[in-house]
Amino acid sequence: SSGINAECEFPEELENARFIAEYVEYDGNRAGLYQCLDGTRYYSDVYDRIQCGASSTGCEKRTYCPAMIENGYLMREWEWNSEYEQEYTYIGEYRCNPGFELRNAKIFSASEEDYKEKYGWGKCIDEEDNTPDPENLPRCVQPGSPEPCNMPEKILNGYRVEEIKNEMYDIVEQARYRCNSGYMMSETWKGDIGWCRSDRTFELPYCMDPKEWHTVEFELVSGFSKMENAGRVRARHNYADGSSGDWYAGCDDHFNGPAAGAICRSMGFRHGKQVTADKKMKPIEDIPFGMTNVFCYHDDTLMMSPSCNGDEYGQMGWPLCAPEEQIAIQCFDDMWKVDVGFKMVQRSGKMFCPTQVMKEGNMMKLKNMDVHVKWGGVHLGRDGYYETKYFEEGVQYNSKGKFSQKKGFKARFTGDKKEYDCFFCDIYMGEHIMNPWPDKNHNCPAEYSEDGGMMEDMDMN
């Protein structure tokens, strides 16, 4: 046809491309179709077309996904069109270097099934954005590390002044805050510090007008009860001008353990629990109810936290509470604590392993529980090195009587004391050791101990 321009030569090979075919475009010009080679592309296509006389194609090494992420690398990438999104995007699949754990991006973690199906996926670019958002890429972290937090820059009438990192994992998980001029802070139990929890919620201080600001002061009234750090609770409000309100009691309707913890933390303890008052913990006399429906959603707060609730007693006209329904709690510092000691009478070979187990502030009676002792000896070496060995009953020792609360477990060493430099005991519940970080369970010199106890890496044969 006279409308077709004259023939021209299309090279068989150009940089990153090879010739496929020649064709005539709608305007009559000849064009060459080339296939991109060696992983190169013409934008999202693996083919490009050039006009007569062109010396190169648009086939280039295009990487839509970062080749590396921190502690990880790109395995492959592809163009993807979600059935829910009418746009094309590029997806990269990543893996972590040895010793690191992969965490999916939130957009690929909608469900457990979604997490598994799209494990390691990262959304790189789409039609509108040519820069990958780090939030849309997976992360490679130390095994067991917590999720990073974006601590809020602002709080109610205040602002962030410092981010605080978890030094072990090098991620921000707390922040320090300050109030705007003219406001007073309602603190967390860490003072002016706020933090994020594992469920991605925050506990933050906040700031109030001094005319509205107050704290709640609590006291325990134990009566004649012998329960340690326990009692009925009375409370009052303390205000910014130094004045205080009248004492009142709280009704235990809907009261819960986290609220008990919040009350105890305001009195200097770390934990608390609701208890049933015994007969000697009588109701506080001549005190009105002031609050009801007292509860908290998280067990790391003070009562002024937004995650705690307390309704003014009687504001709805119901329900009435009897004096026996006054809130009763017990406060403590350790949820679980195991103290193991060791004594040996060198002359007779008698060994004693006094043991105390505290659970939620109360000492447990071990007499009829599945708790037993293992006795052993230690060979001391140079530079703090040592080896330990458990004894066999009937060969190196004989048990002496049952467990007693005062002296603990008892036995007599029957072997040659000269074979060992010192001796120890460990407490087990079934097959599990109860004192993995012991402190006083031996009679070895202090230089072979951490904080006075045998170290964790014992070679117990």
Side-chain angles (χ1 to χ4, degrees):
S1 169
S2 59
I4 299 177
N5 293 334
E7 281 191 39
C8 63
E9 293 292 330
F10 290 100
E12 288 295 321
E13 292 185 359
L14 291 173
E15 185 178 4
N16 298 326
R18 68 183 179 90
F19 178 71
I20 299 297
E22 180 182 331
Y23 67 97
V24 179
E25 295 184 317
Y26 70 92
D27 59 1
N29 289 322
R30 294 185 180 277
L33 177 66
Y34 283 80
Q35 179 184 19
C36 298
L37 302 176
D38 301 323
T40 60
R41 281 180 288 200
Y42 175 64
Y43 293 99
S44 61
D45 204 345
V46 293
Y47 296 97
D48 189 17
R49 299 161 181 79
I50 62 172
Q51 301 290 332
C52 263
S55 59
S56 64
T57 67
C59 295
E60 297 177 354
K61 199 79 172 179
R62 298 177 184 271
T63 302
Y64 296 93
C65 296
M68 307 288 289
I69 57 174
E70 187 173 2
N71 303 317
Y73 55 92
L74 178 69
M75 288 181 61
R76 62 191 181 105
E77 66 177 49
W78 65 92
E79 191 178 48
W80 185 58
N81 176 229
S82 168
E83 58 182 311
Y84 305 109
E85 301 176 6
Q86 298 303 313
E87 64 178 25
Y88 287 92
T89 188
Y90 283 90
I91 299 296
E93 184 175 353
Y94 290 85
R95 289 295 182 268
C96 295
N97 298 333
F100 292 90
E101 179 179 286
L102 190 140
R103 304 273 177 87
N104 266 19
K106 288 184 179 180
I107 59 172
F108 299 123
S109 305
S111 65
E112 186 175 349
E113 183 179 344
D114 190 50
Y115 195 100
K116 291 179 179 179
E117 180 184 343
K118 299 169 182 174
Y119 182 73
W121 284 24
K123 181 180 178 182
C124 301
I125 65 169
D126 54 34
E127 294 174 348
E128 298 180 357
D129 186 7
N130 290 324
T131 305
D133 184 345
E135 292 292 321
N136 293 335
L137 297 175
R139 295 176 297 109
C140 295
V141 301
Q142 295 182 38
S145 65
E147 290 294 302
C149 284
N150 294 318
M151 295 300 297
E153 293 184 11
K154 294 184 178 181
I155 56 174
L156 180 65
N157 301 317
Y159 55 95
R160 188 182 71 202
V161 294
E162 178 190 3
E163 290 186 314
I164 304 172
K165 283 190 173 184
N166 180 319
E167 294 183 0
M168 179 180 293
Y169 299 109
D170 195 34
I171 62 172
V172 172
E173 62 178 12
Q174 299 184 95
R176 194 179 303 276
Y177 292 88
R178 186 173 297 163
C179 291
N180 296 335
S181 179
Y183 290 89
M184 293 181 65
M185 180 173 288
S186 183
E187 297 180 337
T188 68
W189 75 279
K190 295 183 181 180
D192 59 359
I193 293 175
W195 61 91
C196 66
R197 304 182 179 93
S198 58
D199 63 359
R200 319 317 298 149
T201 60
F202 295 98
E203 184 64 23
L204 302 170
Y206 57 93
C207 304
M208 302 176 65
D209 188 305
K211 296 178 182 179
E212 300 175 353
W213 182 93
H214 70 273
T215 61
V216 184
E217 179 185 358
F218 296 95
E219 283 188 358
L220 294 178
V221 182
S222 60
F224 296 99
S225 174
K226 294 183 179 180
M227 195 180 297
E228 189 175 358
N229 300 320
R232 304 275 187 177
V233 179
R234 69 173 188 168
R236 66 178 179 180
H237 288 190
N238 295 328
Y239 301 97
D241 62 2
S243 64
S244 299
D246 295 328
W247 290 103
Y248 61 87
C251 176
D252 64 7
D253 286 355
H254 304 116
F255 188 71
N256 65 359
I263 293 172
C264 289
R265 276 183 284 276
S266 71
M267 294 187 288
F269 296 92
R270 293 183 62 84
H271 305 285
K273 64 179 179 179
Q274 184 179 13
V275 297
T276 300
D278 57 31
K279 293 180 180 180
K280 294 185 178 181
M281 193 185 293
K282 296 184 180 298
I284 307 170
E285 295 182 352
D286 302 322
I287 189 171
F289 281 107
M291 300 295 287
T292 188
N293 295 329
V294 179
F295 58 86
C296 298
Y297 291 105
H298 298 94
D299 197 10
D300 60 356
T301 69
L302 298 178
M303 279 306 305
M304 293 297 292
S305 167
S307 71
C308 292
N309 179 80
D311 296 332
E312 184 179 346
Y313 180 75
Q315 67 177 0
M316 302 296 293
W318 62 275
L320 289 173
C321 293
E324 290 74 19
E325 294 179 271
Q326 290 177 3
I327 290 171
I329 64 173
Q330 183 177 21
C331 300
F332 50 93
D333 288 322
D334 297 300
M335 284 285 190
W336 177 259
K337 184 179 180 181
V338 180
D339 282 329
V340 178
F342 180 84
K343 284 186 177 182
M344 186 175 192
V345 180
Q346 291 293 332
R347 197 171 185 180
S348 63
K350 288 183 178 179
M351 299 183 294
F352 302 91
C353 191
T355 304
Q356 291 185 347
V357 178
M358 301 292 291
K359 180 181 180 181
E360 296 181 346
N362 295 311
M363 188 181 298
M364 300 187 71
K365 295 181 180 179
L366 304 180
K367 198 168 185 178
N368 298 317
M369 295 189 177
D370 182 22
V371 176
H372 60 277
V373 64
K374 288 188 178 183
W375 307 93
V378 185
H379 296 290
L380 301 179
R382 296 180 179 179
D383 301 323
Y385 176 78
Y386 58 87
E387 290 183 349
T388 62
K389 181 180 181 62
Y390 281 137
F391 297 148
E392 184 178 346
E393 186 173 6
V395 177
Q396 288 127 327
Y397 77 94
N398 292 318
S399 295
K400 291 292 182 181
K402 296 182 179 180
F403 174 85
S404 71
Q405 290 293 127
K406 186 176 181 180
K407 294 186 177 181
F409 297 93
K410 294 169 287 184
R412 183 190 297 273
F413 181 69
T414 58
D416 185 357
K417 297 188 191 71
K418 295 179 181 179
E419 290 186 12
Y420 301 96
D421 297 300
C422 49
F423 299 82
F424 72 97
C425 63
D426 280 329
I427 303 303
Y428 279 76
M429 180 171 58
E431 297 179 355
H432 305 284
I433 191 169
M434 294 178 66
N435 56 314
W437 297 281
D439 51 8
K440 301 174 184 177
N441 68 324
H442 62 90
N443 61 354
C444 298
E447 60 265 28
Y448 289 88
S449 310
E450 286 185 351
D451 301 326
M454 299 306 295
M455 289 183 283
E456 183 183 0
D457 59 348
M458 291 189 209
D459 178 22
M460 295 178 180
N461 298 312

